[in-house]
Amino acid sequence: MPVVLITGCSSGFGEALALAFATHGYRVVATLRKPEAASPKLKALADEKPDDFLFASLDVASAASRKAAVDFAVTRFGRLDVLINNAGVGARGAFEDTPESQWRTMFDTNLFGPLELSRLVLPIMRAQGGGRIINVTSVAAVLKTPLMAAYCASKHALDTATAALDIEARGFGVRAICLMPGPFKTALPQKSLDREASAPYAAIAAHFNATFDAMEAKAPEDLTPVIDAALAAATDADPALRYPAGVDAIPILPPILQALAPLQPIGLHLTGQG
Ligand SMILES: NC(=O)c1ccc[n+]([C@@H]2O[C@H](COP(=O)([O-])OP(=O)(O)OC[C@H]3O[C@@H](n4cnc5c(N)ncnc54)[C@H](OP(=O)(O)O)[C@@H]3O)[C@@H](O)[C@H]2O)c1
């Protein structure tokens, strides 16, 4: 049975992917910062399949934790076929209001954690003669939206690094792939590291927060498109670089462009979308 290690399984996509891969014939290492906080569904699965479904503690921002989780997976299952770098954190806030420490937290979680986990699994996958690294990016990797500079930048960087890695590693049978979801209802907004806008940015923050809130309110709860995209990324014979998921359900671009448009006449010079 192929083995998958998934990060960020406490909620949202990670929890759904752990359940889905387990029911599609994979041995699963479901990793969380706090395994004791796993959902009842995942705990039931671990009880039902104690040889094939394991929890491991993993804070993707900690080097020691990353190494321990990968070692655990290989020790218990003897191989690692798929790494899904799913853990991530959002943040809304004006650029000027966002201190370096927050940029570092965002990049440690959304970029450096996935990159370093990839570096840990690459020798294992090369030795096996194959493997898949699936990095959960976002449409935010290609859209650059105001009030989300750190999130968009971290996902854009992950998208770029994934593309380069895929070219380097495919000669070893290892493929690196972006899973690029649009908005879905998960715990992301509740866990987001949002910052209150300072007075100069209050108006633009209110404007965009209304746009983002409306998009989140309309976001689908059914995570099937994300699951289907991840399974395809893991199994397609010649995978694409990017697997969008749910982007059709909610067109992202029109509301963001509509939110940008009224800012032009009030003297804000907006460039650089795309
Ligand atoms: N939902 C969307 O609309 C959407 C759209 C595009 C992309 N995404 C991306 O999809 C991925 C999953 O997000 P989600 O929507 O499922 O949100 P979620 O429910 O908030 O899940 C995020 C997961 O990441 C974990 N996490 C955060 N920091 C971590 C760290 N340092 N180490 C280990 N785990 C950590 C969280 O664990 P804790 O419980 O410990 O915080 C949680 O399990 C993220 O990369 C997100 O950027 C989401």
Side-chain angles (χ1 to χ4, degrees):
M1 286 166 91
V3 177
V4 60
L5 185 152
I6 308 170
T7 67
C9 294
S10 71
S11 56
F13 298 165
E15 182 196 1
L17 291 171
L19 288 166
F21 275 76
T23 53
H24 281 80
Y26 283 76
R27 292 180 133 182
V28 176
V29 181
T31 73
L32 311 82
R33 281 196 275 202
K34 293 181 188 156
E36 67 278 10
S39 72
K41 273 187 191 169
L42 289 195
K43 283 181 175 164
L45 195 53
D47 288 343
E48 188 190 318
K49 300 182 170 195
D51 295 331
D52 297 327
F53 190 97
L54 304 175
F55 289 119
S57 172
L58 174 53
D59 178 343
V60 300
S62 155
S65 177
R66 290 189 296 259
K67 181 161 185 344
V70 171
D71 286 350
F72 173 79
V74 174
T75 303
R76 290 297 299 266
F77 288 145
R79 58 185 298 114
L80 186 49
D81 300 280
V82 182
L83 165 67
I84 305 184
N85 279 311
N86 163 74
V89 65
R92 291 191 204 170
F95 181 94
E96 190 179 330
D97 294 335
T98 305
E100 181 186 343
S101 57
Q102 177 142 336
W103 277 83
R104 289 193 182 280
T105 301
M106 298 293 294
F107 272 62
D108 282 345
T109 310
N110 294 355
L111 180 66
F112 296 123
L115 298 188
E116 288 302 304
L117 275 165
S118 302
R119 275 165 30 83
L120 282 172
V121 306
L122 276 163
I124 298 161
M125 291 179 174
R126 278 193 297 102
Q128 288 169 182
R132 298 271 162 106
I133 296 171
I134 302 174
N135 290 327
V136 180
T137 60
S138 168
V139 288
V142 289
L143 290 175
K144 286 83 178 178
T145 55
L147 281 303
M148 288 203 192
Y151 184 73
C152 293
S154 67
K155 295 294 189 180
H156 184 79
L158 184 59
D159 177 271
T160 303
T162 307
L165 170 59
D166 185 49
I167 297 165
E168 291 177 26
R170 69 174 65 184
F172 305 112
V174 179
R175 300 300 301 265
I177 301 153
C178 297
L179 174 53
M180 201 175 73
F184 284 88
K185 271 202 184 65
T186 64
L188 200 68
Q190 290 78 54
K191 295 178 184 177
S192 183
L193 306 175
D194 298 347
R195 303 186 84 82
E196 191 76 24
S198 59
Y201 296 97
I204 193 169
H207 187 70
F208 276 96
N209 281 331
T211 305
F212 297 145
D213 288 346
M215 278 176 15
E216 281 172 11
K218 280 192 281 182
E221 287 177 16
D222 180 5
L223 305 185
T224 306
V226 176
I227 291 166
D228 289 348
L231 287 166
T235 55
D236 281 355
D238 184 15
L241 173 61
R242 297 187 185 91
Y243 284 75
V247 184
D248 298 342
I250 304 222
I252 306 271
L253 206 45
I256 291 175
L257 289 178
Q258 279 159 22
L260 283 166
L263 299 176
Q264 303 277 12
I266 62 170
L268 291 167
H269 302 290
L270 301 163
T271 57
Q273 283 293 304

